[in-house]
Amino acid sequence: MKTIELDGSHGEGGGQILRTALTLSMITGIPFRIERIRAKRSKPGLLRQHLTAVNAAAQICGAQVQGAAPGSLALSFVPGKIRGDDYRFAIGTAGSCTLVLQTLLPALWFAAAPSTLRISGGTHNPAAPPLDFLSRSWLPLLLRMGVEMKIELLRHGFYPAGGGELYASVRPVPALQSLELLERGELRAARATAIVAGVSVDVARRELSELHLQLGGVLGVLGELQQEIRALSSREGPGNALLVELQYREITELFTAFGEKGLPAEVVASRAAKLARDFHGSTAAVGEHLADQLVLPLALAGAGAFTTVHVSSHLQTNVEVIGKFLPVEFAITRTAGAHRIALV
């Protein structure tokens, strides 16, 4: 079978190219070679989380791999048959568990037997979707597409310490169903959650107070913004994250801002509030980050469409990589206040 050649410096030039290629290579059985891996990042080449994804993918499908080493700029991957089993993988740093999880799960939808995954590392990392986002925004849409899957957070892991762990169980999918999300519907609920681990609870209170001031009059007639403080043991920190969850009729979106040493709680709240305001003020059904993560399942289903706020370089690059493995084509068109992404 012909090997697909990929340039890791193309488009967004990060780890998304590699992750999408690993997923689709496992599913299609098509081998690939990628050069200039993550060439546009400050530390190019394979980092621990990318190496974990490569080795995990190789174990799941019995692949032959060359170039799987820290800092490697080139990799070849020849997949075998996907095997359902109980798997456990450790990143060893605060590298994102969720990105590794999203690389592996779609392949396990097409295994012949059920699987479980335990992945340790970072669960709440500024450079990746937190586990809350996957469980509240991403997973419900996949369930609507016919996926049988559960995701559970076992332990939080913040950057730079890591130490978190997540668990997922998945059953084979007989056939993926299409998904159409052109309108999100009315806003039905809004919730803010401030997470602190090894950080004063007063930080969480200040974040929620500021968030209420900035969003209270923006979200319509809902009344009070529902608020929650998730105070964790210092053993799970140090770390701080502020989550804003907007529940619409058709979709739930979740926006995150992370605390940093020396960064005022009010600034963290302002960042989260801006993300929520910008999305709520648009006509799009899907936020920028969720859009990146929907094109692959839609391509595997062979049909579907959604509207999104912004066509990011991540999204464009993902669409291009998908087109190298699958006989599908996405049309991206501008609509009033949003962009429409649809399989044609």
Side-chain angles (χ1 to χ4, degrees):
M1 185 176 292
K2 184 179 179 181
T3 299
I4 291 175
E5 301 287 340
L6 298 171
D7 181 354
S9 69
H10 180 69
E12 60 96 15
Q16 184 65 61
I17 299 172
L18 173 64
R19 289 189 296 270
T20 299
L22 287 169
T23 303
L24 291 177
S25 180
M26 287 189 283
I27 292 171
T28 63
I30 302 174
F32 73 91
R33 177 173 174 79
I34 181 171
E35 297 185 349
R36 293 178 287 278
I37 297 171
R38 301 182 62 255
K40 292 185 178 179
R41 296 299 185 258
S42 58
K43 293 182 179 180
L46 293 176
L47 299 181
R48 288 290 293 273
Q49 73 182 45
H50 310 104
L51 194 55
T52 301
V54 170
N55 291 332
Q59 183 176 335
I60 284 172
C61 72
Q64 299 175 26
V65 184
Q66 292 182 341
S72 176
L73 295 171
L75 179 89
S76 64
F77 189 90
V78 182
K81 185 178 181 180
I82 299 168
R83 298 187 298 262
D85 206 339
D86 298 319
Y87 296 102
R88 185 186 293 264
F89 305 110
I91 297 173
T93 67
S96 174
C97 291
T98 57
L99 292 179
V100 174
L101 183 74
Q102 286 186 306
T103 303
L104 305 177
L105 280 176
L108 293 173
W109 300 342
F110 299 95
S115 301
T116 63
L117 283 170
R118 282 180 181 263
I119 305 174
S120 60
T123 62
H124 290 72
N125 183 324
L131 196 280
D132 304 81
F133 178 87
L134 296 193
S135 61
R136 300 297 297 159
S137 297
W138 183 67
L139 178 59
L141 298 180
L142 295 177
L143 296 179
R144 285 165 59 177
M145 296 182 71
V147 173
E148 294 186 50
M149 187 167 66
K150 295 180 181 179
I151 301 174
E152 183 180 353
L153 178 62
L154 302 180
R155 177 186 169 94
H156 294 72
F158 295 91
Y159 179 84
E165 186 174 17
L166 56 80
Y167 170 85
S169 62
V170 57
R171 300 182 63 83
V173 181
L176 281 174
Q177 302 166 20
S178 66
L179 178 70
E180 190 166 283
L181 280 171
L182 302 180
E183 297 180 354
R184 64 189 182 221
E186 73 279 5
L187 182 64
R188 292 181 168 178
R191 172 181 290 274
T193 304
I195 308 173
V196 287
V199 174
S200 171
V201 174
D202 184 59
V203 170
R205 295 193 184 103
R206 287 166 55 198
E207 287 173 344
L208 292 175
S209 177
E210 181 65 24
L211 194 64
H212 178 74
L213 289 175
Q214 295 204 26
L215 289 181
V218 177
L219 300 179
V221 294
L222 291 176
E224 292 293 316
L225 180 71
Q226 299 175 46
Q227 298 183 4
E228 176 189 355
I229 294 177
R230 193 185 302 172
L232 308 174
S233 164
S234 60
R235 295 190 300 272
E236 296 189 56
N240 168 228
L242 181 61
L243 316 176
V244 181
E245 181 181 330
L246 302 182
Q247 299 173 13
Y248 297 91
R249 185 185 70 238
E250 297 295 331
I251 192 170
T252 294
E253 267 289 2
L254 190 140
F255 308 94
T256 310
F258 288 89
E260 303 170 20
K261 187 175 181 179
L263 187 69
E266 290 74 19
V267 174
V268 177
S270 294
R271 291 177 178 178
K274 184 180 187 308
L275 293 172
R277 278 199 311 269
D278 288 350
F279 177 75
H280 186 66
S282 76
T283 61
V286 172
E288 176 182 339
H289 300 301
L290 187 54
D292 295 344
Q293 297 157 31
L294 281 182
V295 286
L296 193 147
L298 259 62
L300 291 172
F306 60 86
T307 57
T308 187
V309 178
H310 173 64
V311 179
S312 66
S313 60
H314 265 271
L315 177 60
Q316 291 175 319
T317 303
N318 216 9
V319 165
E320 291 175 16
V321 175
I322 289 169
K324 293 181 180 294
F325 287 89
L326 298 174
V328 298
E329 182 180 352
F330 283 93
I332 303 177
T333 55
R334 178 72 175 163
T335 64
H339 291 82
R340 187 176 188 270
I341 317 296
L343 280 162
V344 294

